[in-house]
Amino acid sequence: MTQRLWEPSAERRAQAELSRFARWAEARFGRNLQRFETLHAWSVDFPGEFWGGIWEFYGVRQHTPHRTVVEDVHRFPGARWFVGARLNYAENALRRRDDQPALVFHSEQGDTRTYTFQQVASTVEALAASLAAEGIGPGDVVAGYLPNIPEGVLALLASSAVGAVWCVCGTDLGVPATVDRLGQLDPKVLFTVDRYVYRGKVYDNLERVAELAKALPSLRRIIVTPYAEEDLPPRLPEKAVPWAEFLGRTPRAPFAFRPVDAHHPHIVLFTSGVTGRPKCVIHSVAGTLSAHLKTLGLQMDTRAGDRVLFLSSPTWMVWNVQPSSLILGATVVLYDGAPLYPDAEVIWRLVDREGVNLVGCGATFLLACMEAGVRPRRTCRLGTLRSMFQSGSALPAEGFQYVYEHIKQDLFFNSGLGGTDVQMGILEGTPWQPVYAGQIAGPALGVKANVYDEEGRPLVGEPGELVVERPFPSVPLGLWGDRDGEQFRATYFGKYPGIWRHGDYVQRDPATGGFIPLGRSDFVLKPSGVRIGPAEIYSVLARVPEIRDCLVVGQKWKGDERIVLFVAPREGLRLTEELAERIRTRLRQEASPRHVPARILEVPDIPYTLNLKRAEGAVWRIVNGGEIPPQLRGALANPEVLAVYEQLAREELSR
C-alpha cells in the first residue's frame, strides 16, 4: 500500500494561496470550488474563466486589454490565448518598487550582494534604454551566457522591456554546445561574465566568450559583468564592454516599456540536446505569464513577501521561472556554485540565514543529500521553510521518505513533471492535496492530462504515454526555424492527432489518483515487445544499499532488444557476482522477470545532463553503436565518464 506522508491541516489549507484564489473565484464566477476535484474540473472545463481569472486575480497589467481569453479552444494545436492584449512582461515583474530585497545573491565562495525592488526596476530600465540605443527591439534576440547571478535576471527583464526575445545558456555549458543552441537564433547582444566558480575552483570565462564571438557573427555587442564586483581585466574580447559602462550609456529619462501582442515571442528554451541538435522552443508573453503565475502562486503556494530559492543553473528551464516570483512580490534568493560544497549542508544553512519559504530543486540534489547522510532537521531550524518543489527526474519513494524524515515533517512537498516544452507542470501537486511516497499528486490545474496506450486508449493502473487532451496557454508558439510548423506538429501531435504527447511514460494509481513517473518514453525498454519504464528498475534498485546510482538502456540485439544495466557501487565497493545476482533477484521478485537485465556492468559514475537528468539518450547511442559529437558531450555535467561506456560497448556489449 502506498504510504501517505503528509496531508494539509485545515489551518494550513485555509492559509494557502490556492484557497485565497478559490474564494475569490467563487465570488467572481459563482462557482462552488471547495473540493480539489471540482476546482480542477472547473479549471479544464471553463478555461476562459480559470486562465482569465488568474490574470485578473494577480492584476496583470495590459496596455490594451484582451477582448477574449481564448479563441478556437477546440483547435489543438491552434487555440489562441488573451487575444487582442498588448502588454509587457517586464512591466509586470517590476510593479513593486520599494527598498525591500528583491534579489539576494550568495556564491559558494561567500560573495553576496542584494538588489532591492527599486534597484531592480531602475537597473532594468537603464539596461533597457541602452539596449534600445543599440537598436534592439521587438523580435531581436538577446542572449545570456551566465552563471546564476542577479545580472542574469536583470538582463532577462531588460530584454523583455524592449520587446526582445530572451534566451540563456549557463556557463556550465561548453562552447560547442552553447554555439549549437545560440547559433540557431542569431542573437544580437550577449550578456556574460568574466569568470565563474564551481567546487572551489575559479574558471576564466573570457577566452570562451572570445570563441563564442567568432562563432556568432550576428553579435553586435557583448556586455561583461564582473562575477564578484571586482575590476574587469583591461582587455576584453572584441565587441565587449563592461556592464557598468553599458548601464550608464544613456540618460536616465523616464523609460517607456514596449508593449507587444500577447502571442509575441518572449523567451526561447532549449531541449537537452543529448540525442541530437537541441530544439529551440518558442514561448509567448501570455503563455509565460499564465504558466508562471499559476505554477508559482497556486501550485507552489508562493505569496507576497515570501523568499524563494531555486537550485538551478540558467541552463535548466526552472531558472527562467524565477523572475516571475517578482510579480507576486516575492524575493528571489540566488545561489551559485556546487550545492553540496564546501559541505553537504550549505543550502540548508542558507535557508535558515535568508528565511527561505520555498526551495525548488532536482531529484539529484535530494538523492545526493540522502547519500551524504545530511540530516537538516537535526542541524538547522528551517522554521520558515513551508514548501519544496522537486522536478528534473523521477524521485523514488525513498527520496520522498527522506524529505519527511530528515528535512521537515510539516512540509508541502510538491513533485512535478513538465518542463521546457510547457514552462510548468503537466503533473503537479497543490497545497490542498496529500503527498504519497513516490507519486506526483495529479494533473496540474488547467491541464487535462491522461495516460494513453499505443492506440490512444486511456489507461488507469497500467503504464502508458502522458498526454494532454485540451489546449492550455503555454503550448509553445513553435520551434525556431520550423517555418511551416511541420517539426513542431510531428514532435508533440504526431502520435495522437489533436492530443499533446509529452514524451514521458507514466502510470496512474487508481487508489490515490497520483501518477508514477517511469522515464522518457523515447527510452522505454522493450524486451520481447514488453514496454518497461526505466524508473521501474531505478525504484527497485534504490533499495539496494550497495548501489550509489544506476542507469538502464535497451540494446538492439539479435532482432530484439535486451536490457543493459550500468551500476555505480558505493565508495569502496565493487559489483561482485553475488551483488549482481541479488539485483536480478530483487528485480524478478519486486518487478517481474521481464525487468531482469541481460547484462549488468560496473561503472564509476552515471552521466547526467546539465538539467540534472540521467543521460539515457547518450548512453543509448553508445550502446547501439552511435557516436557522441563534441556539442552533445557539452550538454552533460560529467562528459568524461562516457569514455568508460564507450570502452564497455566495444569490449563487453559486442558479444
Side-chain angles (χ1 to χ4, degrees):
M1 185 175 178
T2 304
Q3 183 182 6
R4 181 181 291 196
L5 298 171
W6 181 83
E7 190 165 13
S9 65
E11 180 183 12
R12 180 69 182 273
R13 175 176 163 138
Q15 293 172 347
E17 184 77 349
L18 179 58
S19 298
R20 191 169 75 90
F21 173 76
R23 291 191 293 267
W24 174 88
E26 285 185 322
R28 174 69 175 81
F29 301 110
R31 304 284 181 185
N32 183 345
L33 304 174
Q34 295 298 307
R35 297 173 60 247
F36 178 78
E37 290 75 16
T38 55
L39 175 64
H40 185 270
W42 169 70
S43 75
V44 296
D45 292 339
F46 298 91
E49 291 184 4
F50 175 70
W51 293 105
I54 287 174
W55 277 39
E56 188 177 342
F57 180 70
Y58 284 115
V60 172
R61 293 182 178 177
Q62 305 176 62
H63 287 246
T64 304
H66 58 273
R67 62 177 180 268
T68 184
V69 175
V70 58
E71 279 185 358
D72 298 324
V73 71
H74 298 295
R75 291 185 62 194
F76 200 18
R80 298 176 70 239
W81 296 86
F82 296 96
V83 180
R86 289 183 61 79
L87 71 165
N88 186 278
Y89 171 86
E91 185 175 12
N92 279 278
L94 301 175
R95 295 187 300 201
R96 182 175 176 181
R97 302 194 176 205
D98 56 33
D99 61 358
Q100 292 303 302
L103 303 176
V104 178
F105 171 71
H106 291 263
S107 82
E108 68 172 40
Q109 289 191 318
D111 303 307
T112 64
R113 58 182 180 273
T114 298
Y115 283 84
T116 66
F117 283 94
Q118 179 56 53
Q119 287 171 329
V120 167
S122 60
T123 304
V124 167
E125 290 182 355
L127 279 178
S130 293
L131 286 173
E134 290 279 348
I136 303 301
D140 293 326
V141 176
V142 175
Y145 186 51
L146 294 157
N148 187 24
I149 59 175
E151 289 75 14
V153 175
L154 300 174
L156 181 158
L157 293 171
S159 70
S160 171
V162 297
V165 183
W166 170 259
C167 62
V168 63
C169 294
T171 45
D172 49 3
L173 206 63
V175 171
T178 302
V179 172
D180 216 26
R181 290 158 172 76
L182 302 186
Q184 299 183 57
L185 306 178
D186 295 325
K188 293 182 177 178
V189 174
L190 178 71
F191 284 90
T192 190
V193 70
D194 61 338
R195 57 195 172 94
Y196 64 99
V197 299
Y198 196 79
R199 293 195 65 82
K201 186 175 180 180
V202 179
Y203 295 86
D204 175 54
N205 195 48
L206 292 180
E207 186 175 329
R208 300 200 300 171
V209 172
E211 290 183 56
L212 281 176
K214 291 178 182 177
L216 300 173
S218 60
L219 287 177
R220 295 179 188 172
R221 184 68 60 207
I222 300 171
I223 298 99
V224 182
T225 185
Y227 182 83
E229 294 188 312
E230 298 176 358
D231 291 336
L232 291 172
R235 296 188 63 181
L236 296 176
E238 187 180 356
K239 302 179 183 177
V241 297
W243 169 277
E245 178 184 327
F246 188 76
L247 195 63
R249 280 191 162 190
T250 54
R252 294 293 185 97
F255 179 79
F257 292 94
R258 184 73 177 261
V260 295
D261 290 338
H263 62 271
H264 183 78
H266 164 65
I267 196 166
V268 172
L269 300 177
F270 304 106
T271 59
S272 60
V274 294
T275 57
R277 196 181 193 196
K279 292 189 285 290
C280 302
V281 185
I282 310 168
H283 287 286
S284 69
V285 175
T288 298
L289 277 168
S290 302
H292 291 187
L293 290 174
K294 192 267 299 189
T295 299
L296 287 165
L298 308 188
Q299 308 272 174
M300 296 186 187
D301 198 28
T302 306
R303 313 166 193 173
D306 276 357
R307 293 193 168 206
V308 301
L309 168 64
F310 289 94
L311 301 178
S312 174
S313 157
T315 301
W316 192 16
M317 177 280 297
V318 168
W319 183 90
N320 297 274
V321 178
Q322 294 178 109
S324 294
S325 304
L326 302 176
I327 304 174
L328 303 180
T331 299
V332 179
V333 180
L334 303 161
Y335 181 79
D336 188 62
L340 277 75
Y341 180 89
D343 62 71
E345 292 193 348
V346 63
I347 295 301
W348 306 110
R349 291 196 298 272
L350 180 60
V351 169
D352 272 353
R353 177 176 174 178
E354 293 296 342
V356 171
N357 306 102
L358 166 68
V359 170
C361 63
T364 308
F365 170 71
L366 291 173
L367 293 173
C369 287
M370 187 174 164
E371 168 72 16
V374 178
R375 303 291 185 263
R377 276 185 62 194
R378 297 181 182 176
T379 57
C380 301
R381 298 185 305 277
L382 305 182
T384 59
L385 184 61
R386 191 173 68 243
S387 308
M388 284 189 69
F389 174 77
Q390 170 271 319
S391 188
S393 59
L395 184 69
E398 290 72 18
F400 283 69
Q401 292 161 346
Y402 166 77
V403 167
Y404 283 98
E405 289 175 11
H406 299 296
I407 296 179
K408 193 170 186 179
Q409 288 182 324
D410 186 15
L411 182 74
F412 166 44
F413 183 70
N414 184 5
S415 184
L417 192 160
T420 297
D421 316 85
V422 295
Q423 291 206 88
M424 63 178 190
I426 296 292
L427 305 176
E428 202 169 358
T430 69
W432 282 14
Q433 296 168 277
V435 177
Y436 291 93
Q439 295 190 4
I440 300 173
L445 292 167
V447 180
K448 189 169 177 54
N450 210 336
V451 185
Y452 281 8
D453 67 11
E454 287 295 289
E455 285 70 45
R457 295 181 295 246
L459 295 169
V460 177
E462 297 179 46
E465 292 273 2
L466 175 63
V467 301
V468 183
E469 297 174 327
R470 294 182 188 172
F472 50 94
S474 60
V475 171
L477 295 174
L479 304 176
W480 198 275
D482 179 29
R483 295 187 183 279
D484 61 2
E486 183 177 345
Q487 184 187 10
F488 172 74
R489 289 189 295 273
T491 299
Y492 300 108
F493 297 92
K495 186 163 186 173
Y496 309 112
I499 301 291
W500 172 282
R501 171 184 172 266
H502 196 61
D504 279 273
Y505 204 53
V506 301
Q507 180 173 332
R508 189 164 197 174
D509 185 338
T512 66
F515 288 76
I516 304 163
L518 301 174
R520 293 294 293 173
S521 53
D522 292 343
F523 304 113
V524 163
L525 310 166
K526 297 181 282 287
S528 302
V530 178
R531 295 167 65 85
I532 295 171
E536 297 177 63
I537 291 176
Y538 300 147
S539 179
V540 173
L541 298 189
R543 297 188 288 275
V544 178
E546 294 90 345
I547 296 177
R548 176 170 54 85
D549 206 350
C550 58
L551 182 146
V552 63
V553 295
Q555 182 188 20
K556 298 173 184 176
W557 189 253
K558 297 181 179 179
D560 196 359
E561 181 175 278
R562 66 178 182 178
I563 297 176
V564 179
L565 173 65
F566 297 95
V567 170
R570 293 189 187 276
E571 188 174 352
L573 300 179
R574 299 298 304 271
L575 176 65
T576 62
E577 182 51 41
E578 186 271 335
L579 175 56
E581 187 54 37
R582 273 199 291 122
I583 289 171
R584 296 186 191 100
T585 300
R586 292 286 290 267
L587 287 169
R588 188 178 295 110
Q589 293 176 345
E590 298 181 28
S592 82
R594 297 284 189 188
H595 290 72
V596 177
R599 300 296 305 275
I600 305 177
L601 300 172
E602 180 179 337
V603 290
D605 202 4
I606 301 301
Y608 275 81
T609 70
L610 292 168
N611 294 345
L612 305 177
K613 299 179 182 179
R614 288 181 176 91
E616 289 153 337
V619 175
W620 185 92
R621 287 172 73 113
I622 291 171
V623 165
N624 288 285
E627 295 184 356
I628 308 295
Q631 63 268 32
L632 299 192
R633 292 178 186 271
L636 300 179
N638 51 345
E640 66 283 350
V641 77
L642 293 184
V644 175
Y645 292 80
E646 290 165 336
Q647 182 178 354
L648 289 172
R650 290 191 305 268
E651 298 177 0
E652 296 289 336
L653 295 176
S654 59
R655 53 184 172 83

